[in-house]
Amino acid sequence: MALTVEMKTRTLRTAFVGGGFMAAVHSRAARAAGATIAGVASSTAEGAERAATAIGADRSYASVDDLLAADVDVVHICTPNSTHAEFALAALAAGKHVVCEKPLATGLGQALLLADRAEAGSLVATVPFAYRFHPMVREARARVAAGRLGRILTIQGHYLQDWLSSSSDSDWRVDARLGGPSRAFADIGSHLVDLVEFVAGERITRLEAMTRTVHAEREGIANVATEDLAALLVELDGGAVGTLLVSQVAPGRKNSLVIELSGDLESLRFDQESPETVWLGRTDRSSVLHRDASTLSPDAARLSLVPSGHPMGYQDAFNAFVSDTYRAIAGEFPEGLPTFRDGARAVRLTEAVLASAAGGGWQDVSAEAVAVPA
């Protein structure tokens, strides 16, 4: 008689540092992936209690140290930018897997140190470049990789928002002490350059940028030191050239993230506000490709969870990002997972944008940056 042994799989226990909007997004994704929301810590014990109630956590912790000492497997860091590196380093030192909001750090040295520490500890450490997880982004990437566009010649893209259009609009991100030296580019431009490099399968090798601070004063901040917009000229390692525009002061644009790649055979365009389609253009015709798992590349079909005509959106993409992170923790190797190394890449590009805008001209970002000794 054969003996059947059932292995009981442990339910992943997640914890959150921070309790704002992004913590809510992360917690919905964690719950969708089947994890237990074990606890939350915030800047105060009272804030942690409110956050635990808001996201449905089992309990609150009086401090981050208490949370890291608890029985949790993965820590999601959803706090102001200036605290990311400190909390992520502490979580890695405690042997926890980490999901850290971007920017991974406000300086390249810290970002590279974080990537090195995660790799040295064999810990899964990811940054939510969640737009990678739209099925039609994966389809666009697959078409580029298959040579459907031919040789990429030009790239254009933008990420436009309007939530800081008025001088009366303000937020902690505006304050460089909390948000870091870059705002618009670090906050949303990082998504744009990540998406360009991810879909193109090539890296930006050099860039030149200008930035503008439209409102020198905002509600509660007398001297605004962070940029409202940035414009970039870029070159990719395959020789393509492109223009990228980032703005948080574009009235009427709520979350307009668009990339368009043109090759010598075909062009394609993805618009995050219409994520169910990719526009395709040739000299003799143009068409719109709709999300339909039966016609998509395998990776795009994998992320297409509902039938065509049933719209998928931002939370679905974020859910897929967290699900793939948890799969990696379980020992799988999901394709396209954005790690701390990708987060450090975004910090490097951000520093290059600021250096160029400060009068540094063209910035070479082709070679891999190396971590400074700890």
Side-chain angles (χ1 to χ4, degrees):
M1 178 176 173
L3 179 65
T4 300
V5 178
E6 289 188 8
M7 298 295 293
K8 190 168 184 178
T9 303
R10 169 188 166 101
T11 299
L12 203 66
R13 291 175 59 80
T14 70
F16 293 79
V17 181
F21 164 73
M22 287 313 303
V25 173
H26 282 245
S27 67
R28 288 193 292 268
R31 190 169 284 108
T36 295
I37 312 300
V40 60
S42 190
S43 55
T44 65
E46 295 77 13
E49 290 177 2
R50 290 193 298 270
T53 300
I55 67 175
D58 288 350
R59 58 160 296 179
S60 63
Y61 289 92
S63 70
V64 174
D65 287 342
D66 289 346
L67 181 149
L68 294 179
D71 179 24
V72 297
D73 303 299
V74 56
V75 176
H76 290 243
I77 298 169
C78 309
T79 55
N81 303 346
S82 61
T83 64
H84 289 177
E86 172 191 354
F87 292 147
L89 281 170
L92 293 172
K96 314 298 185 185
H97 304 288
V98 182
V99 179
C100 183
E101 265 300 326
K102 48 88 196 106
L104 178 57
T106 57
L108 182 58
Q110 285 184 315
L112 291 169
L113 178 62
L114 283 164
D116 286 350
R117 290 281 177 86
E119 291 166 4
S122 299
L123 294 166
V124 174
T126 61
V127 176
F129 290 124
Y131 297 114
R132 291 185 180 195
F133 290 83
H134 283 296
M136 298 311 286
V137 165
R138 297 300 176 105
E139 179 64 20
R141 185 176 190 239
R143 294 179 76 89
V144 173
R148 300 288 290 272
L149 275 64
R151 181 166 62 96
I152 300 175
L153 304 176
T154 63
I155 289 178
Q156 56 180 313
H158 68 244
Y159 200 155
L160 309 177
Q161 297 177 336
D162 71 355
W163 65 290
L164 290 170
S165 292
S166 169
S167 61
S168 62
D169 298 323
S170 196
D171 183 79
W172 62 259
R173 293 169 179 82
V174 176
D175 188 342
R177 294 171 299 177
L178 297 175
S182 171
R183 176 175 23 101
F185 194 84
D187 186 25
I188 59 176
S190 56
H191 281 296
L192 177 58
V193 291
D194 179 77
L195 203 58
V196 164
E197 293 190 335
F198 184 70
V199 172
E202 298 182 15
R203 284 202 161 183
I204 296 168
T205 57
R206 62 179 188 141
L207 62 83
E208 188 169 28
M210 63 174 62
T211 62
R212 291 287 184 274
T213 301
V214 176
H215 300 298
E217 296 185 3
R218 289 183 179 274
E219 189 74 28
I221 302 176
N223 297 295
V224 176
T226 55
E227 80 282 357
D228 291 309
L229 58 88
L232 283 67
L233 182 63
V234 301
E235 182 177 5
L236 276 65
D237 51 23
V241 296
T243 57
L244 305 175
L245 179 64
V246 177
S247 175
Q248 293 178 321
V249 289
R253 294 299 188 185
K254 302 306 177 185
N255 202 48
S256 180
L257 171 57
V258 175
I259 61 168
E260 183 169 328
L261 286 66
S262 296
D264 56 5
L265 298 178
E266 185 173 277
S267 299
L268 66 78
R269 177 184 178 91
F270 173 77
D271 180 348
Q272 191 276 149
E273 290 185 331
S274 300
E276 293 286 275
T277 63
V278 166
W279 175 85
L280 304 172
R282 287 182 170 252
T283 54
D284 59 344
R285 68 186 183 278
S286 63
S287 60
V288 175
L289 180 65
H290 292 264
R291 182 182 60 79
D292 183 342
S294 65
T295 65
L296 300 180
S297 63
D299 200 36
R302 174 182 75 89
L303 295 172
S304 187
L305 300 183
V306 295
S308 180
H310 297 73
M312 296 180 64
Y314 172 75
Q315 187 69 57
D316 295 296
F318 209 101
N319 290 2
F321 156 70
V322 170
S323 177
D324 272 10
T325 296
Y326 293 177
R327 287 175 58 207
I329 291 171
E332 299 182 44
F333 300 95
E335 201 277 331
L337 188 65
T339 68
F340 272 17
R341 194 63 63 186
D342 297 299
R345 170 67 178 171
V347 175
R348 185 178 188 207
L349 291 170
T350 300
E351 289 196 349
V353 166
L354 295 182
S356 178
W362 283 96
Q363 299 291 307
D364 186 339
V365 290
S366 56
E368 288 288 346
V370 179
V372 295

